[in-house]
Structures are given as structure tokens and as C-alpha cells.
Amino acid sequence: MKKLLSLVLALTLVIGGISFGTPLKASAADLPKEHKEALNYLNEIRRTVGIKELELDPYLNKAAQNHADYLTLHGLTSLNTDDGHWEDSNKAGFTGENPGDRAKAVGYDNSWVSEVISYDDDTLMKTLDGFLNKTVIHRDFLFSHADIKIGFGISGSNVVFNIGKSASEVTPPEFFSYPYNGQKDVDTYFSSKWERPDLLKKFGVSKSGFAISYYTPEWADSFTAKITDSKGNDVPFYSDEMGLVHLYPKQELKYNETYTVNVKYGSRNDTWSFTTKSDPSNPTKQSVNVSAKPTASKVLVNGKELSFQAYNIDNNNYFKLRDLAMVLNGTQKSISVGWDGEKYAISLESGKPYGEVGGELTVAEKLNTEKATLSTSIIYLDGKEVKLTAYLINGNNYFKLRDVAAVIDFGITWDGKTNTIGIDSSTGYVME
């Protein structure tokens, strides 16, 4: 009887108006569009650097929203609070002193919760871009390979990300970096005013070149690093190590310049390159958004009609690579889709079975015209680099169908009378 009474009390306990143990259900499909874009964009980058994707957790989502509401209710900002991660139990809206307590208060089953906060943005995408490109410690939290759950909260200009559920079974990548190999449009500088604590203070400066992060699970007493520009000139830098290695170029990086980084850490000897953004004073070099309209055509795969979330850009149809691999699986055109950590690229192997990761062939209930930007994804087929035209739409890469058909060699047909695209795994690709 005592155990039963304890259980009833646990299920009915209310902390700050939040029922403890109340079952919550949510999926990416339930999120507002803004949340989907942020989740997809972050996961696209995590996939690119070789880290497991994050999953939406309804409890972390609720805990993050509660804390964002608390910050707004009390007018807390970076200017008037020393630590916005803590709540006062004597104030209205209190749901827990720290991130772990707040997550447990709504039913989260793990006490390990990291939290990052922005006080100055009013959208999730602005906040995410800021965490990735204007911070170092906050960025590192988003790249924790062992954390696989996330929740978002937004209230006024306060945005809270809760990340948790440490998963020891997740195999860490051999290494990853940010900027990652082949990344383009990288910012040129980092400012101490963007993040607290001030990571540049110990170097006696308030501004540096764009901060570079490097991670490997190996342990070593020391490391060496080198940064060079496209002409082979050495770029001097400051450095520190706080779980991840951070390199801070002493001067602002040049526009439209490719930099190569080498880090030797333990037995690791890793090299990668990235390119900075174009000079904003020269608009002809800027990235251009194009319009991507939902594909209105019917799609037949080996004679069977299937639904795809696909887009039409300049009269060409663009599909997700994993969707195509899924429908070709088990045919003579089967391909596996993986990640090559050494080359920082998507790796395709012909004739291999496709391993489902979840989310393939998912179609949103309502598709709208979206903005698309050219993707910088690098693709290897059977160890050789192939060129595929791709666009980034809401955080996902969409590849030109005919480009994919040409390199994998499956048939594509078009019936203008019935507005039908045909995908045929029994034949090879024939150029238009």
C-alpha cells in the first residue's frame, strides 16, 4: 500500500504548475514549421560532420519552453542576470532550479541535460546560426556526439535549447571539425562580445578570426596545429583546449579565401579545408536563393505509384537521396548511403543494400513553395567523387533526379500527357 501511495503522489505532484510524470507525445511532424527548419538544419550539419542526428523529445521541449517563459516573465537578459540557467523558487513561473530539475519536473527520465540560451533573437534559425557561427562553447554543446535528444523553447527574444539523453552506446566519430571539410560561406571573424564567458580575454584581445573547433575521442598531453591560406602562407593563431581544441586566428580571415587546417593530436593527423564567405561589398558574389515548388508530377517506381516529398527548380525535379535509395533497395540498382568521415562526404556504394535510418519517404501534409540554396555536399560513388546538383531546402539536401539516375544508371521516363515521372530499375539511364 505504501508503494502504491507513493506512485499516486508521484503522478499527481505539481511543480510550478507542471504535472510530474504526465505523458507527452510529440514528433517532428507535430512541430511548427520554424522548429522543423531548425531541427533539420542542425541535423544536416551533424550528419555532415559524422555525428548521430538529434531527436525531438517532448519533455525537453516542454522544459525548454517553461524556462523561456520564465526568462521573459521576469525580463531576464544577458545584461541583468549572471546566470540565466538558474530559477528562483520564490518567483512566479518556477519549474526547477537548474536544467536537470526542470526536465525531471515534466517527466524527463534522465538527469543529464545541457542547456544553451540566447537572449537576443526572436527566431530559432537566428539563434541556431548564432550558436554555430558566433559562439564556441555553445557550439560545442550542439556537437556532443553522445547526446541524442533536443527540445526547443522560444518566448519573446529568449530562446532555450535543452539537449540530453547521453547515449554511451553511440560510437564517437574519429574526429570532427567546425567549420567542416568543404564548408563554404564561413564567417571571417569571432567577437568576444558574442559569448559569455569571454574566451578571448585570456589572450588580451576582443576579436579574432573565425573560431575553429576540433574534436577527437583520443587523449593526448598536447597537440600541434597549423592553418594556411590558399597560397600556403601560415596563419598565426591562439589556441585552447576545453574538451575540444579551439583555434582562434589572430587576424580576421580574408573574404572568399580557402583555408587549410591540420591538427596532430595523439595518433591523429587530420587535415581539412573551408572557404570564407564572399565580400558583402561585392553583391555579384553572394549566394542566391531560388524558388523550389513542390513537384506536381505523379511518380511511378517500376510501375507502382509512390509519394515523394520532391521539389521542382527551373523545370528540374529534385529528390532526397535516401528516398531514392529506399525505393531502389532490393533491385539491381541498389545503393548503400553512408558517411565517409575521412573525406567528409556522402559515400554511395552500388550493388549494396540500403540501410534504413528512419524518415524515408515521409511527406508533409502540406507542401509550400520554399527557398532553396545550392548545396556544397560532396558525393563519392564507389570511392570516386561524382558531381550532383543539389539544393538545401529546410535543412535537407535535394538532388537533381536526372543527375542521380545518370551516376547510378537507372531509367528515367517522362510522360507529358499524364504528368508522370517514371523510375525504372530494370533499365539504364538514357540522356535526354
Side-chain angles (χ1 to χ4, degrees):
M1 182 66 184
K2 186 175 181 179
K3 289 183 179 179
L4 179 59
L5 179 61
S6 298
L7 177 62
V8 172
L9 287 173
L11 290 174
T12 58
L13 178 63
V14 174
I15 301 178
I18 306 302
S19 297
F20 190 178
T22 303
L24 300 174
K25 293 183 179 180
S27 68
D30 300 322
L31 285 171
K33 180 180 177 182
E34 181 184 14
H35 288 58
K36 292 179 186 178
E37 289 179 355
L39 183 63
N40 289 340
Y41 180 59
L42 178 55
N43 278 335
E44 176 71 19
I45 295 176
R46 284 177 66 101
R47 285 194 300 269
T48 299
V49 302
I51 307 174
K52 184 178 177 63
E53 294 180 24
L54 291 167
E55 303 170 6
L56 172 73
D57 185 274
Y59 298 103
L60 292 180
N61 220 41
K62 183 61 177 175
Q65 185 60 52
N66 287 343
H67 190 50
D69 291 338
Y70 175 90
L71 295 172
T72 299
L73 177 64
H74 297 290
L76 297 178
T77 72
S78 59
L79 299 177
N80 61 21
T81 180
D82 292 329
D83 192 344
H85 298 291
W86 293 87
E87 291 187 8
D88 186 338
S89 60
N90 296 315
K91 290 186 176 181
F94 171 79
T95 56
E97 285 190 354
N98 57 59
D101 288 348
R102 291 191 288 273
K104 285 192 291 184
V106 295
Y108 188 62
D109 61 358
N110 192 296
S111 61
W112 177 253
V113 178
S114 4
E115 181 178 81
V116 286
I117 300 173
S118 172
Y119 303 94
D120 305 312
D121 292 313
D122 56 0
T123 71
L124 292 179
M125 287 298 288
K126 285 181 183 178
T127 301
L128 181 55
D129 180 70
F131 285 156
L132 291 170
N133 300 308
K134 294 185 177 181
T135 72
V136 176
I137 296 176
H138 292 69
R139 175 207 295 171
D140 291 351
F141 277 116
L142 299 181
F143 284 141
S144 173
H145 72 273
D147 293 333
I148 60 173
K149 301 287 186 178
I150 192 168
F152 301 113
I154 181 168
S155 178
S157 62
N158 295 308
V159 180
V160 178
F161 286 15
N162 281 164
I163 305 169
K165 197 70 173 182
S166 186
S168 58
E169 72 274 10
V170 175
T171 302
E174 293 183 353
F175 90 99
F176 69 78
S177 66
Y178 193 90
Y180 52 80
N181 190 45
Q183 186 170 342
K184 301 183 185 302
D185 294 324
V186 175
D187 285 336
T188 58
Y189 72 98
F190 171 69
S191 172
S192 63
K193 68 180 181 180
W194 289 338
E195 185 171 34
R196 192 170 59 190
D198 180 357
L199 298 183
L200 296 180
K201 185 176 181 179
K202 57 181 172 286
F203 307 121
V205 298
S206 60
K207 183 178 178 181
S208 73
F210 188 83
I212 301 165
S213 296
Y214 168 89
Y215 169 83
T216 177
E218 288 200 17
W219 289 94
D221 293 331
S222 61
F223 69 91
T224 61
K226 186 176 184 179
I227 306 174
T228 55
D229 63 18
S230 60
K231 296 180 180 179
N233 299 314
D234 287 343
V235 177
F237 58 88
Y238 307 104
S239 67
D240 63 30
E241 184 178 4
M242 298 181 294
L244 278 72
V245 170
H246 304 123
L247 309 178
Y248 309 88
K250 292 185 177 182
Q251 301 295 327
E252 181 175 350
L253 301 180
K254 297 177 181 178
Y255 288 117
N256 202 34
E257 175 65 76
T258 297
Y259 292 91
T260 299
V261 185
N262 173 260
V263 176
K264 294 178 181 178
Y265 193 105
S267 65
R268 301 294 307 173
N269 186 354
D270 297 308
T271 301
W272 70 97
S273 299
F274 63 88
T275 302
T276 54
K277 64 183 181 181
S278 299
D279 187 342
S281 66
N282 186 351
T284 62
K285 294 183 179 181
Q286 299 304 299
S287 298
V288 178
N289 287 325
V290 298
S291 179
K293 298 180 180 179
T295 295
S297 304
K298 181 169 63 175
V299 183
L300 301 180
V301 179
N302 295 329
K304 180 181 178 181
E305 184 174 354
L306 294 176
S307 296
F308 292 82
Q309 184 158 318
Y311 290 89
N312 188 284
I313 301 173
D314 294 332
N315 294 321
N316 288 293
N317 290 297
Y318 289 77
F319 288 66
K320 293 180 182 178
L321 196 56
R322 287 191 177 275
D323 285 355
L324 294 174
M326 185 76 170
V327 300
L328 293 173
N329 197 34
T331 73
Q332 59 183 321
K333 304 297 183 180
S334 290
I335 55 166
S336 65
V337 180
W339 175 253
D340 188 328
E342 292 294 327
K343 297 177 179 176
Y344 269 85
I346 297 170
S347 176
L348 309 178
E349 289 189 78
S350 56
K352 297 291 183 68
Y354 172 69
E356 186 175 353
V357 298
E360 290 88 347
L361 299 176
T362 300
V363 181
E365 291 184 8
K366 184 179 180 181
L367 293 175
N368 301 307
T369 297
E370 305 286 356
K371 291 181 179 180
T373 56
L374 276 173
S375 172
T376 59
S377 294
I378 302 172
I379 313 293
Y380 283 83
L381 175 63
D382 298 330
K384 296 182 179 179
E385 186 174 355
V386 293
K387 299 296 183 182
L388 301 177
T389 305
Y391 282 90
L392 190 65
I393 304 172
N394 289 337
N396 290 300
N397 280 316
Y398 288 78
F399 293 83
K400 189 175 179 179
L401 179 60
R402 287 194 172 275
D403 284 359
V404 178
V407 298
I408 298 175
D409 194 31
F410 60 82
I412 292 291
T413 60
W414 167 250
D415 187 336
K417 293 182 179 179
T418 61
N419 192 25
T420 301
I421 299 168
I423 296 175
D424 189 347
S425 64
S426 66
T427 63
Y429 177 73
V430 178
M431 188 176 297
E432 288 184 308

